[in-house]
Amino acid sequence: MTLTSVLPSRRWPEPGAMLRLIKPVTWFPPMWAYLCGVVSSGVSPQGQWGLIFLGVLLAGPIVCGMSQAANDWCDRHVDAINEPDRPIPSGRIPGRWGLWIALAMSALSLLVGAQLGPWGFGATVFGVLAAWAYSAEPVRLKKSGWWGPGLVGLCYEGLPWFTGAAVLSVGAPGWPVIVIAALYALGAHGIMTLNDFKALEGDRQMGVNSLPVTLGPDRAAKVACWVMAVPQVVVAGLLFTWGKPFFAAAILALIAAQIWAMSRMLQDPKARAPWYNGTGVAMYVSGMMIAAFALRSVL
């Protein structure tokens, strides 16, 4: 007898389960990337704190939270295998409440995004559409180990960075900002691949062709490491070229530390991928902010 078979069915979701549905732990990357965009714009934050706060709120709790709710709704059958204690398969968010929450947050995202001007609103529209394209049939880019992590990396790192710079600049950012944001978005593909390790068994059973499923854990981990490392090396090279050797050296030092962490993770990728996500990724995002400060005087 399963646990859910002896529990009475609920009509209303638990408040704690709703918070878990939108996963606050996932909000940091897009919020941080938005701040990187703000810093890299070179625009003084004086008089802009309201836009900065609203953008951070939009990137993290609202849009990212919405994407997590949409993903959990669309993944409820996979989660019943991988993590049956999650809010939807456990029944703590009953019926179609997961879908309604995701749709309501989609509308809220567009409403708040409209307050950030045309660039902020356009980026919000893209982010909302991307979230549903990633999770929902018939598109469901999550089924691809290449397109899925690439889209998430773009929306977690590249899009918020671009948006933060565009909102403060009241226009398109300069090409150095776009290039650096794109490189860090590309590297985030590897981070997302490592994140797929936790759902390996359920993905295999439900036909989600993540790289850990299609390549196996060892090869997928090696691919993820290369994808994370190479864009950062390019970033460091560009900063050297742009006359920022100290910033470039700091990023190279972080890359060296990540390579050490990667060597440990590769000894047992399936078991140590979560450990790397708590160590190597912190160094990755630290390099993002270093690059953002370097860009202030490049433009």
Side-chain angles (χ1 to χ4, degrees):
M1 181 178 294
T2 63
L3 179 62
T4 55
S5 67
V6 298
L7 290 176
S9 60
R10 300 181 57 88
R11 292 186 58 191
W12 302 94
E14 291 181 6
M18 289 192 290
L19 181 62
R20 186 180 174 191
L21 180 71
I22 59 176
K23 301 183 185 69
V25 71
T26 67
W27 300 348
F28 173 77
M31 293 166 69
W32 182 258
Y34 186 88
L35 289 175
C36 287
V38 168
V39 170
S40 69
S41 71
V43 177
S44 171
Q46 294 298 324
Q48 305 289 334
W49 294 111
L51 283 177
I52 294 171
F53 174 78
L54 193 63
V56 169
L57 183 70
L58 177 66
I62 301 178
V63 174
C64 185
M66 174 277 299
S67 71
Q68 297 299 329
N71 185 62
D72 269 26
W73 170 256
C74 297
D75 265 8
R76 61 196 183 278
H77 305 302
V78 178
D79 289 339
I81 299 170
N82 288 321
E83 300 175 86
D85 64 328
R86 278 194 172 185
I88 293 176
S90 69
R92 285 176 295 149
I93 293 185
R96 301 176 72 84
W97 270 101
L99 175 62
W100 296 336
I101 291 170
L103 291 174
M105 292 188 71
S106 298
L108 178 62
S109 298
L110 297 174
L111 178 64
V112 174
Q115 311 310 308
L116 295 179
W119 288 97
F121 181 67
T124 303
V125 171
F126 181 90
V128 170
L129 292 176
W132 286 103
Y134 176 78
S135 299
E137 299 287 0
V139 181
R140 195 159 165 77
L141 292 177
K142 185 174 184 176
K143 287 183 176 180
S144 168
W146 296 106
W147 289 106
L151 182 62
V152 175
L154 175 64
C155 292
Y156 265 44
E157 309 294 6
L159 183 64
W161 188 318
F162 177 91
T163 306
V167 167
L168 254 69
S169 301
V170 196
W175 71 266
V177 170
I178 295 174
V179 169
I180 297 299
L183 285 167
Y184 276 110
L186 176 61
H189 186 293
I191 298 173
M192 296 305 118
T193 295
L194 293 181
N195 191 56
D196 285 337
F197 276 79
K198 70 178 187 297
L200 180 59
E201 296 306 322
D203 286 350
R204 183 180 289 122
Q205 293 181 41
M206 300 301 294
V208 176
N209 296 316
S210 67
L211 292 190
V213 170
T214 58
L215 300 181
D218 291 341
R219 290 180 62 197
K222 290 176 182 176
V223 168
C225 289
W226 279 104
V227 170
M228 287 185 287
V230 171
Q232 293 180 84
V233 172
V234 176
V235 168
L238 287 173
L239 293 183
F240 269 119
T241 302
W242 295 336
K244 299 296 177 182
F246 295 108
F247 291 96
I251 290 174
L252 287 175
L254 288 170
I255 295 171
Q258 288 172 69
I259 290 173
W260 167 81
M262 289 172 183
S263 67
R264 288 202 61 196
M265 187 266 294
L266 289 173
Q267 294 172 8
D268 188 354
K270 189 174 180 180
R272 293 186 179 174
W275 169 82
Y276 185 87
N277 279 335
T279 53
V281 173
M283 293 182 273
Y284 184 95
V285 298
S286 297
M288 290 171 57
M289 188 59 76
I290 291 172
F293 273 101
L295 286 168
R296 289 180 65 85
S297 55
V298 168
L299 302 176

